[in-house]
Amino acid sequence: MRTVNEVSKLTGVSVRALHHYDAIGLLRPTEVTEAGYRLYDDTALSRLQSILLFRELQFPLKEIKAILDSPDFDLSEALTEQIGLLELQYKHIGELISFAREIQKKGVTEMDFHVFDKSEIEQYKKEAKEKWGHTKEYEEYEQKEKRGHDFDEAARKLMGLFSELGALKEMSPADPAVQEKISALQSFITDNYYTCTTEILGGLGQMYAEEERFHHNIDKAGGEGTAEFVKQAIEIYCCK
């Protein structure tokens, strides 16, 4: 675990910026000590890496948060998209350097502005944003945000639901009491984030168990094994 100062020194992100990321729910510390010190584990640092890559690509913080929190977010696929865009930017900068050196060497001989054309980069960014940021679910999420929905409170209540599910781990995932909680989970997501169809709920169940950040937080809320238990219960619920 690293303190906020250690993370700042490691990444070059100011302490003030890290505090802001915490305040807007973009990057929560893994733990906060009784003395109020923020602590970050490797999972949090991995999320910070994704944030910084999207920042380099000029994505606004609000869009980055929506992308990273999307149930459809795939880190491997996102990295492929980011690499492609970074390569375009690298090519663009190389052309600008060559153009400037040519002017330095020969002087301005003609008005050539093609190297300043960033339309290819902008189109790539547009496609990436459409892919990650303009799903129906994202639009619902954005509308709730505009109406001032308290996502921090919703997140706390969501963890409360996982805590309640964790208390039922000794039961069969098919037990009616467990299935009732899964129904409540689906309704809660619909009410607070976006319409949670059975298909989406099934995908969330997989993510809860397989994505390290979610797995860690859910097990932290409900005890070890809760994420896997929730996944199994969701699978049964979705097969009804």
Side-chain angles (χ1 to χ4, degrees):
M1 300 282 271
R2 299 174 188 268
T3 66
V4 69
N5 285 310
E6 289 171 337
V7 172
S8 178
K9 290 177 182 177
L10 176 68
T11 64
V13 179
S14 70
V15 170
R16 182 178 180 181
L18 290 169
H19 286 178
H20 179 60
Y21 290 174
D22 181 11
I24 64 175
L26 178 61
L27 180 69
R28 298 291 195 190
T30 309
E31 292 181 18
V32 178
T33 68
E34 291 183 2
Y37 293 108
R38 294 171 172 85
L39 299 177
Y40 299 81
D41 63 5
D42 288 344
T43 301
L45 291 179
S46 176
R47 182 177 172 94
L48 180 56
Q49 283 183 331
S50 295
I51 292 168
L52 295 180
L53 276 172
F54 277 118
R55 287 298 286 155
E56 286 294 327
L57 299 174
Q58 307 301 311
F59 279 75
L61 293 179
K62 183 173 73 173
E63 289 181 12
I64 296 172
K65 183 178 185 300
I67 289 169
L68 296 182
D69 290 345
S70 168
D72 297 323
F73 178 69
D74 183 310
L75 178 59
S76 177
E77 195 171 348
L79 282 170
T80 299
E81 299 282 352
Q82 290 168 334
I83 290 168
L85 186 48
L86 287 167
E87 285 175 341
L88 282 177
Q89 291 186 334
Y90 177 76
K91 174 186 172 186
H92 178 68
I93 291 171
E95 290 174 347
L96 285 173
I97 291 172
S98 297
F99 180 68
R101 283 177 174 164
E102 193 70 16
I103 292 176
Q104 185 182 51
K105 181 179 178 182
K106 298 180 179 179
V108 179
T109 57
E110 59 181 89
M111 295 294 105
D112 184 359
F113 294 94
H114 81 279
V115 293
F116 299 102
D117 182 6
K118 298 176 70 175
S119 59
E120 187 178 10
I121 293 175
E122 292 305 317
Q123 178 60 29
Y124 200 101
K125 286 175 66 176
K126 179 183 177 184
E127 290 173 2
K129 182 178 176 181
E130 287 174 350
K131 183 171 187 177
W132 297 109
H134 284 287
T135 62
K136 175 176 172 287
E137 292 74 32
Y138 172 83
E139 290 173 0
E140 286 188 56
Y141 178 97
E142 192 174 49
Q143 286 301 315
K144 283 185 170 65
E145 185 175 51
K146 286 178 180 177
R147 291 195 295 267
H149 187 73
D150 189 344
F151 287 109
D152 288 340
E153 179 63 20
R156 285 191 287 272
K157 289 181 178 178
L158 181 61
M159 287 300 109
L161 278 173
F162 288 129
S163 177
E164 292 171 9
L165 278 160
L168 304 178
K169 288 199 303 290
E170 300 306 315
M171 297 181 178
S172 164
D175 189 284
V178 176
Q179 291 297 297
E180 186 178 343
K181 286 294 182 187
I182 297 300
S183 178
L185 174 65
Q186 183 180 30
S187 297
F188 182 85
I189 293 169
T190 295
D191 292 342
N192 289 274
Y193 297 99
Y194 43 76
T195 302
C196 185
T197 63
T198 300
E199 182 181 3
I200 288 175
L201 183 64
L204 288 172
Q206 291 286 331
M207 183 182 68
Y208 292 157
E210 297 171 7
E211 208 280 335
E212 184 179 354
R213 178 168 57 93
F214 285 96
H215 190 122
H216 170 80
N217 288 334
I218 292 170
D219 276 9
K220 185 176 178 182
E224 186 175 355
T226 299
E228 181 60 33
F229 177 73
V230 171
K231 173 194 170 186
Q232 294 173 13
I234 287 176
E235 286 175 348
I236 293 168
Y237 181 87
C238 291
C239 288
K240 290 180 179 179

